[in-house]
Amino acid sequence: MIEIDAITKRYDDNTVVDNVSMVIEPRTVTVIVGTSGSGKTTLLRMINRLVEPTSGVIKLDGEDNRAIPGHELRRRIGYAIQGHGLFPHRTVAQNIATVPTLLGWEKSRIDAKVDELLTLFQLDPKTFGPRYPHELSGGQQQRVGVARALAAEPNVLLMDEPYGALDPIIRAKAQEDLLAIQKHFGTTIVLVTHDMNEAFHLADKIAVMDKGRVLQYGPPEELVRAPETPFVETLIGDTERPFRLLAIAKAGAAAEPGEAEGEPIREDKTQQEALADLLWTGRSALPVVSASGAPMGRVTLDALLKRATRPSGSAR
Amino acid sequence: MKAWLPTILRGLLFVVLVAFLLSPTTFEPVLKPLVDTNAPAIYNQGSLLDLTLQHLSTVFIATLVAIVVAILLAILVTRPFGAEFLPLSRSLVNIGQTFPPVAVLALAVPAVGFGEKPTLIALFLYGLLPIFENTLTALTNLPRSVMEAARGSGMTNFQRLMKVELPLSLPIIVAGIRLSVTIGLATATIGSTVAARTLGEVIIAGLQSNNLAFILQGGLIVGALAVLIYDGLSAVEKMLTRRLGIA
Amino acid sequence: MTEVFQAGLPFGLFPGGGLKIRFDKLGIVIAIIAASGLVFSTFAVLKPNRILQGQAKTILEALPAWAGYGLLILLIAAIAAALFRTSPWIKLIAAAASLTALALAIGYAAGFLTPAGNTYARVSPASGFWILIFAFALLAADALTRLQPPPWMRVLFLCITAIGIAALLFSGSWNGLSIMKEYAGRADVFWTEAGKHVTLALGSLFAAALVGLPLGILCHRVSSLRAGVLNTLNLVQTIPSIALFGILIGPLAWVALNVPGAAALGIRGIGMAPAFVALFLYSLLPIVANTVVGLAGVPREANDAARGIGMTDRQRLFQVEFPLALPVILTAIRIVLVQNIGMATIAALIGGGGFGVFVFQGIGQTAMDLVLLGAVPTVALAFAAAVVLDALIEMNSRVPNGVSAA
């Protein structure tokens, strides 16, 4: 658990992060979104004390993060950044081994960890371990960057625009991988991005930041249903609102008893995908099946349209 | 105020330099403490102004020839016709810079005799390398998009060279010239060991008669010239860079 | 015309294939230079003594018939190898063979031309010899550039050349040459001066690295220091070397007189001390400037990541910043070393010794062979230093920039 309590960062007269308080639950993905200059990166960097706050406290599992020297703190927290930040003069294996080496692990344990992580990230240890970062593709470099951040088995992983430099297809794949890995290790992930789609795709909870303040902090659905400020509304986008609602709910949740013709959709697909399928094939309903293929009823166009309608009680 | 300080200092340096060259004896009291009571404090075996002008003209002529030759060579090896020479020319620049100036000077003597000529040859060869190297760097690192645009807008090879490649390369070429002139100004002093008339004469006279005042005035005049010319060319370079909107 | 020069697919000895013979453009230039060395210039000069003008001799006059014709045939074959598009290896072998033959021939010519029992007569290489050496050195350089040998192989080539020259020197086959007669007369002094030269060049580099690296790191970390330090060092560079050597005489003489123990350490107004200090001062700028540039060139992300994953400042400096800046710093070391080897010759003017002693004595006596005795080792030393350090730089920069990685 990360408790951020009344944290403020000022550079001279310029307040970059302004009295932010929030609690990040363990084993969740929290995404901080905002425009550039909103203070989101500074907030992230205060968690591992790459930036020292002007005032306020950050506690990790109840312990003040200033209790130990900054570099020791950072060895316990994973850190992955845009443009991967791999050391160009070290091989992939050496890059991943950086923190375990700093921590003085035994060589056999380090080697085993490197192999495990490379395999987990679908990179063959024998082929990729001895290569240098520049010999990898952008997507592979990014995976190695995340693998390096996870090498010392940290409870917390901080990610600063980790996929900013990737093209859309590779980015989507990387996001899937991240969610899988988060499940695998149960890591608490805090990720900073300016990409709202990425936030909705990954987040258990989203914090929207503007001018150093957190405007709203909650589950994605809440942000769409009840945006607290016009800025949050703008960020979500007028024309995107209905689709965002559908995008964060699964098709299974909209299933109702009944039959339908044609190609079925799996229940773990999003409702947005179900809608797209309906519109594209010109049907008014389609069958839903479980992951194992068992029929679960159908999803109708009407039901989806209702679910995409402005929820009652919302501001506008 | 602070931004003007360097400019004022340079102006002052220039004024002092000119005053010293026009009327060296005025400065005699300043240099007198450096020498024995009966030794001359101001160089007395020739006019300092004369030597300075001689020094400058030697460097100027050598650099001018070097500029023309270096740029022509760099253009040649970056055209398709001369592409075969490109790798070698890079190696030669590299090797050429390992030849010490004294050696070049001394080795030129048997070929052309003592005096001005070996100095000019050494200065030319030494001046050639930085200009050639910089021109080459500039011409081979032009922004690809601009080159494509130039081709795409229907320029001939020659038009591209004159209207796009050279103008864009100019700041880096000027940087090479600046380097070459600075090296040339210092190297020319060594020319005096092979009887060229340069400010090195003053320094060597000082070394021979153990006269610190001579060494100092010779050295400082060359130093001041170098600083002023270096700064002047830096200003030209900055102006060109700004005009191109690179910085 | 241009058609003929286009590169073809390499097969066999004449890549390009077909029946069309393809000329090498550079080969044409080399052939013209070499031909002018063969036809219009003379090979050796026989002088009655070390200072007087001498008689110029062509290859056929300077060598017995078998050797003269043999050399001519070899050189013409090598020119042919240069002229056509052949494998760079063949060109390299042709160049090496020609250079070796020329080196042997000039030594043989010395013995052949010197009248028996005449100890005053001197034989020196003439312009034709130097032109031929230049032409084939160019051919060798071109072949090596095309072969792009890995760094270790370049150092190997350098060693082979050095061993070859050493063998020629020890075998005595050059003993008849004027330059070797100059050497024979002052063998002891030569090695003393060589020692001083190397001490000056390497010692001042070492001292400059010792001071310059920490100073560079400091300038990188403390940005307010940077401009001041670099401008000051820049100013030092504008003072001509002769003058700086001279200016330092005064303060060092004062130190020797007034600081106890300084004189015992060899610090004196004239001699090696001012030369050493001057070279040290000149060396500082490249080392400090490149350290700053090298450290500034370390990718921001790598630095951020290093901090982010918990490296201390010291770990970051030694494990990330320094290794990544090393090629740039080594480049400075190369510049400084080559520059120092050249500039150490000027130390002779203030009694600091070194190869410059022979150069300036030679100029004074108009004895060009004595000039060569000083200049040739200086050039050779600077060249060898450049090759070795270039190889080092390449070995170190291969990985990070990834340009030359296989």
Side-chain angles (χ1 to χ4, degrees):
Chain A
M1 186 158 73
I2 306 171
E3 294 162 272
I4 299 174
D5 185 16
I7 211 90
T8 296
K9 179 65 190 178
R10 241 179 254 118
Y11 291 106
D12 299 325
D13 289 339
N14 189 10
T15 307
V16 185
V17 173
D18 190 1
N19 194 23
V20 167
S21 298
M22 58 195 279
V23 174
I24 293 164
E25 297 296 331
R27 285 178 282 284
T28 60
V29 180
T30 300
V31 177
I32 307 174
V33 272
T35 49
S36 48
S38 60
K40 56 187 192 300
T41 294
T42 309
L43 179 62
L44 184 83
R45 289 164 69 97
M46 282 192 288
I47 297 175
N48 67 358
R49 281 176 58 202
L50 278 174
V51 174
E52 298 286 352
T54 311
S55 66
V57 183
I58 294 177
K59 286 183 186 164
L60 298 167
D61 293 329
E63 191 190 10
D64 190 328
N65 72 350
R66 287 167 300 184
I68 52 171
H71 62 269
E72 280 178 33
L73 172 79
R74 290 191 280 273
R75 287 174 195 173
R76 294 191 196 167
I77 299 177
Y79 184 61
I81 55 174
Q82 178 171 11
H84 62 77
L86 293 176
F87 302 137
H89 60 302
R90 293 186 173 181
T91 62
V92 165
Q94 286 167 342
N95 261 291
I96 296 175
T98 307
V99 183
T101 310
L102 289 175
L103 291 171
W105 285 16
E106 271 175 39
K107 195 178 176 313
S108 54
R109 187 174 164 206
I110 296 177
D111 291 346
K113 190 74 204 173
V114 169
D115 280 7
E116 179 200 330
L117 281 165
L118 280 173
T119 312
L120 194 66
F121 281 92
Q122 298 142 47
L123 296 166
D124 177 39
K126 283 211 179 52
T127 320
F128 287 94
R131 291 204 185 161
Y132 283 92
H134 66 82
E135 295 168 297
L136 308 185
S137 71
Q140 289 167 340
Q141 288 172 341
Q142 185 55 48
R143 275 184 267 167
V144 175
V146 179
R148 181 177 67 179
L150 291 171
E153 298 166 3
N155 290 329
V156 175
L157 171 61
L158 307 180
M159 307 182 88
D160 188 0
E161 302 259 3
Y163 307 125
L166 301 184
D167 65 56
I169 292 174
I170 295 175
R171 183 186 312 193
K173 170 86 172 78
Q175 290 168 348
E176 290 311 319
D177 289 350
L178 183 70
L179 289 175
I181 280 172
Q182 195 262 340
K183 282 211 179 67
H184 182 93
F185 288 112
T187 318
T188 309
I189 296 180
V190 185
L191 184 145
V192 156
T193 183
H194 61 264
D195 178 353
M196 213 49 185
N197 289 326
E198 185 165 280
F200 271 86
H201 188 100
L202 296 174
D204 292 313
K205 273 177 133 183
I206 296 179
V208 178
M209 279 192 80
D210 184 42
K211 300 191 181 102
R213 293 176 162 276
V214 171
L215 301 179
Q216 188 168 4
Y217 176 44
E221 197 189 337
E222 194 181 298
L223 262 67
V224 184
R225 289 191 188 286
E228 281 174 17
T229 72
F231 181 82
V232 176
E233 218 178 327
T234 320
L235 209 59
I236 288 166
D238 289 350
T239 54
E240 314 250 340
R241 280 183 292 195
F243 308 110
R244 292 220 193 278
L245 271 182
L246 295 179
I248 51 186
K250 300 289 178 230
E256 54 191 67
E259 301 265 314
E261 292 291 305
E263 196 65 18
I265 187 165
R266 272 171 50 167
E267 53 119 355
D268 59 345
K269 295 283 180 186
T270 66
Q271 294 177 2
Q272 188 180 20
E273 284 165 301
L275 176 66
D277 208 353
L278 285 170
L279 294 176
W280 191 247
T281 54
R283 290 179 283 175
S284 59
L286 76 171
V288 181
V289 294
S290 71
S292 56
M296 293 178 63
R298 60 175 190 171
V299 175
T300 64
L301 194 55
D302 283 346
L304 288 180
L305 291 183
K306 268 197 200 87
R307 283 171 177 273
T309 315
R310 177 177 60 180
S312 54
S314 96
R316 276 178 286 177
Chain B
M1 182 61 206
K2 217 174 169 190
W4 284 101
L5 196 65
T7 318
I8 292 170
L9 282 179
R10 268 163 221 154
L12 219 61
L13 179 64
F14 181 71
V15 171
V16 172
L17 178 64
V18 171
F20 183 74
L21 291 177
L22 291 178
S23 165
T25 42
T26 328
F27 292 79
E28 205 170 347
V30 187
L31 292 165
K32 199 73 198 169
L34 294 172
V35 290
D36 297 336
T37 35
N38 42 10
I42 299 295
Y43 188 63
N44 54 2
Q45 293 153 36
S47 148
L48 279 175
L49 180 65
D50 233 32
L51 281 177
T52 306
L53 293 177
Q54 191 75 42
H55 192 110
L56 282 176
S57 85
T58 305
V59 175
F60 181 75
I61 294 169
T63 311
L64 203 65
V65 182
I67 291 173
V68 174
V69 174
I71 294 182
L72 285 180
L73 278 179
I75 291 174
L76 179 78
V77 298
T78 48
R79 300 308 103 182
F81 174 79
E84 246 174 84
F85 296 92
L86 181 62
L88 178 69
S89 66
R90 280 187 206 276
S91 316
L92 285 184
V93 167
N94 225 346
I95 297 170
Q97 276 160 343
T98 62
F99 276 70
V102 180
V104 176
L105 211 55
L107 295 176
V109 172
V112 296
F114 283 94
E116 196 84 55
K117 279 185 204 155
T119 314
L120 279 172
I121 290 177
L123 287 185
F124 163 72
L125 288 175
Y126 252 78
L128 199 62
L129 300 175
I131 306 174
F132 178 74
E133 201 175 8
N134 275 30
T135 313
L136 204 59
T137 311
L139 287 177
T140 48
N141 287 309
L142 291 166
R144 190 184 282 271
S145 57
V146 174
M147 294 310 296
E148 285 292 303
R151 272 162 56 95
S153 58
M155 288 188 179
T156 64
N157 289 342
F158 185 70
Q159 285 169 331
R160 236 167 39 223
L161 175 67
M162 299 308 285
K163 293 184 176 174
V164 181
E165 295 181 39
L166 283 181
L168 278 180
S169 306
L170 210 52
I172 302 178
I173 298 177
V174 172
I177 295 172
R178 185 183 52 158
L179 205 63
S180 142
V181 173
T182 327
I183 297 173
L185 282 167
T187 311
T189 53
I190 307 174
S192 297
T193 58
V194 293
R197 278 187 50 78
T198 72
L199 285 165
E201 231 178 83
V202 183
I203 301 168
I204 288 171
L207 286 174
Q208 280 164 350
S209 61
N210 210 354
N211 185 324
L212 188 57
F214 283 11
I215 299 174
L216 213 57
Q217 58 197 272
L220 290 183
I221 295 173
V222 179
L225 290 173
V227 168
L228 289 171
I229 294 176
Y230 184 95
D231 281 354
L233 286 171
S234 295
V236 172
E237 196 187 314
K238 256 186 215 133
M239 196 191 71
L240 287 168
T241 314
R242 200 172 315 137
R243 214 183 51 192
L244 291 174
I246 300 169
Chain C
M1 184 74 182
T2 41
E3 276 280 279
V4 185
F5 290 132
Q6 271 164 10
L9 289 168
F11 47 87
L13 290 185
F14 291 88
L19 291 170
K20 231 189 307 184
I21 293 171
R22 288 165 184 263
F23 287 104
D24 184 304
K25 268 184 251 182
L26 182 75
I28 298 173
V29 175
I30 290 173
I32 291 170
I33 297 174
S36 75
L38 274 179
V39 181
F40 302 111
S41 316
T42 50
F43 188 66
V45 194
L46 171 64
K47 295 183 283 191
N49 66 37
R50 65 192 282 248
I51 296 168
L52 287 181
Q53 291 282 331
Q55 298 166 269
K57 307 276 185 182
T58 64
I59 289 183
L60 292 177
E61 290 164 344
L63 291 166
W66 64 270
Y69 283 109
L71 181 63
L72 275 181
I73 290 167
L74 177 71
L75 294 182
I76 290 168
I79 291 172
L83 211 46
F84 300 110
R85 285 185 165 278
T86 51
S87 136
W89 281 107
I90 292 184
K91 293 187 189 224
L92 185 62
I93 291 166
S98 308
L99 289 170
T100 314
L102 283 166
L104 286 169
I106 195 71
Y108 194 74
F112 181 72
L113 285 175
T114 311
N118 185 338
T119 49
Y120 295 105
R122 293 299 184 95
V123 177
S124 310
S127 57
F129 173 81
W130 294 117
I131 292 171
L132 286 167
I133 290 280
F134 175 70
F136 290 108
L138 207 58
L139 182 62
D142 179 50
L144 283 174
T145 309
R146 290 188 201 196
L147 284 172
Q148 292 188 322
W152 63 266
M153 202 191 277
R154 296 205 299 264
V155 175
L156 183 72
F157 282 141
L158 179 72
C159 288
I160 293 173
T161 314
I163 291 169
I165 291 173
L168 277 172
L169 287 170
F170 279 108
S171 69
S173 62
W174 275 349
N175 283 359
L177 279 177
S178 188
I179 181 172
M180 290 310 289
K181 288 186 176 169
E182 297 286 351
Y183 167 75
R186 35 175 87 68
D188 290 345
V189 188
F190 180 86
W191 289 109
T192 323
E193 299 303 349
K196 283 188 191 168
H197 199 102
V198 173
T199 312
L200 273 177
L202 278 179
S204 59
L205 164 69
F206 189 70
L210 221 57
V211 175
L213 288 177
L215 193 58
I217 293 169
L218 195 70
C219 285
H220 172 68
R221 296 263 157 115
V222 188
S223 55
S224 53
L225 259 172
R226 206 174 302 151
V229 170
L230 290 179
N231 282 339
T232 312
L233 294 178
N234 229 329
L235 220 56
V236 172
Q237 298 258 322
T238 64
I239 305 172
S241 45
I242 308 186
L244 187 59
F245 282 47
I247 291 167
L248 287 167
I249 293 177
L252 284 170
W254 186 87
V255 168
L257 275 179
N258 294 289
V259 176
L265 285 172
I267 294 176
R268 284 185 304 142
I270 57 162
M272 271 178 84
F276 189 93
V277 176
L279 290 180
F280 165 78
L281 289 175
Y282 281 125
S283 311
L284 274 181
L285 178 70
I287 293 183
V288 175
N290 277 33
T291 306
V292 171
V293 170
L295 290 176
V298 173
R300 212 180 50 77
E301 293 88 5
N303 248 324
D304 189 35
R307 257 162 55 75
I309 61 177
M311 286 190 180
T312 61
D313 278 358
R314 178 188 289 264
Q315 284 167 338
R316 193 159 53 93
L317 178 65
F318 287 108
Q319 293 185 25
V320 179
E321 293 188 291
F322 212 72
L324 285 175
L326 195 60
V328 184
I329 296 172
L330 278 177
T331 308
I333 303 273
R334 175 210 193 268
I335 293 171
V336 165
L337 185 55
V338 170
Q339 174 185 297
N340 278 3
I341 291 172
M343 237 185 306
T345 43
I346 296 168
L349 285 178
I350 53 164
F355 289 128
V357 169
F358 307 118
V359 175
F360 290 119
Q361 268 180 20
I363 290 174
Q365 302 170 5
T366 62
M368 282 313 138
D369 296 309
L370 188 53
V371 171
L372 284 179
L373 185 63
V376 172
T378 312
V379 172
L381 214 55
F383 181 72
V387 171
V388 172
L389 277 165
D390 276 339
L392 262 180
I393 293 168
E394 205 181 309
M395 282 187 222
N396 274 289
S397 56
R398 203 157 37 150
V399 171
N401 60 30
V403 176
S404 46

